[in-house]
């Protein structure tokens, strides 16, 4: 993969294809939701991912949703939108990376994933720095089976330490 890092969604051009796919995945492959200005429901990971895409529009029709399962270690959804019928995946990086044979580049083009070495190195780097890491992926045909997926990227989440924790 290209190895681009972004601190927030605003670092990615508003009209880029990459941002569209990332936003759709984060919005629909998620069990949290917005209640006015607050993100509610689900767990801290889903709420943090929903915060990442705050302000992005839900402009797809949800066709199917398979909730997160701790045995399979991922969740999936299929949506229909202007980009076509797409399946999105969110889950354990080791699970999604194993099933990825392509990646989405910064322009939103799908490229062959020739080596995963860099991604595994980046994953180790992030987890060693105490980030909680979730992987995102997709399939352009809407098929929710976890094989031959396109890797979108990692979302690295750092928990804030509360004052009362010593």
């Amino acid at each position: 993969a290209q190895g681009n890092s972004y601190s927030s969604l605003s670092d990615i051009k508003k009209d880029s294809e990459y941002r569209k796919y990332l936003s759709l995945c984060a919005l629909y492959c998620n069990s949290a939701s917005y209640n006015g200005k607050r993100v509610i429901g689900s767990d801290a990971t889903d709420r943090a991912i929903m915060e990442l895409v705050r302000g992005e529009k839900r402009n797809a029709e949800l066709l199917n949703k398979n909730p997160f399962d701790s045995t399979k270690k991922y969740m999936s959804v299929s949506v229909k939108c202007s980009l076509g019928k797409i399946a999105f995946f969110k889950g354990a990086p080791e699970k999604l990376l194993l099933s990825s044979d392509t990646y989405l580049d910064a322009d939103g083009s799908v490229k062959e994933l020739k080596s995963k070495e860099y991604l595994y190195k980046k994953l180790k780097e992030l987890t060693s720095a105490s980030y909680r890491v979730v992987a995102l992926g997709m399939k352009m045909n809407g098929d929710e089976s976890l094989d031959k997926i396109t890797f979108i990227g990692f979302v690295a989440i750092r928990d804030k330490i509360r004052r009362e924790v010593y």
Side-chain angles (χ1 to χ4, degrees):
Q2 288 178 299
N4 295 345
S5 293
Y6 306 103
S7 297
S8 70
L9 197 63
S10 61
D11 290 348
I12 305 169
K13 285 190 295 186
K14 188 109 177 126
D15 59 349
S16 80
E17 291 295 305
Y18 180 81
R19 181 170 170 161
K20 290 175 188 172
Y21 290 118
L22 173 69
S23 295
L24 282 168
C25 186
L27 285 166
Y28 288 93
C29 208
N30 200 314
S31 297
S33 60
Y34 294 110
N35 180 8
K37 294 188 182 224
R38 292 184 50 223
V39 176
I40 59 168
S42 194
D43 60 17
T45 300
D46 274 356
R47 289 191 302 272
I49 291 171
M50 196 61 93
E51 283 291 344
L52 171 71
V53 292
R54 180 181 287 283
E56 295 294 287
K57 302 281 185 253
R58 280 186 175 253
N59 53 4
E61 175 189 351
L62 181 63
L63 302 173
N64 189 47
K65 186 173 190 171
N66 288 304
F68 181 81
D69 178 319
S70 57
T71 333
K72 61 182 184 173
K73 297 184 179 181
Y74 71 94
M75 75 173 294
S76 64
V77 298
S78 58
V79 301
K80 185 177 178 184
C81 65
S82 62
L83 301 166
K85 187 175 177 185
I86 309 169
F88 288 107
F89 304 86
K90 178 188 73 187
E94 63 277 6
K95 193 79 167 178
L96 269 64
L97 279 177
L98 190 62
S99 301
S100 298
D101 63 351
T102 55
Y103 71 95
L104 194 64
D105 76 4
D107 298 325
S109 300
V110 175
K111 303 276 174 89
E112 181 184 355
L113 185 55
K114 294 176 182 166
S115 171
K116 298 177 188 177
E117 186 179 333
Y118 172 79
L119 294 171
Y120 284 111
K121 181 180 173 192
K122 189 66 178 172
L123 176 60
K124 186 175 182 177
E125 201 177 284
L126 290 167
T127 55
S128 296
S130 300
Y131 283 95
R132 195 165 4 125
V133 182
V134 176
L136 305 178
M138 65 182 220
K139 281 173 102 170
M140 288 305 290
N141 60 6
D143 173 20
E144 290 182 65
S145 62
L146 193 67
D147 67 323
K148 297 184 180 180
I149 68 170
T150 298
F151 179 75
I152 296 173
F154 294 128
V155 176
I157 302 162
R158 175 161 296 174
D159 293 323
K160 292 180 183 174
I161 297 176
R162 297 186 312 265
R163 276 197 173 137
E164 62 273 13
V165 177
Y166 300 97

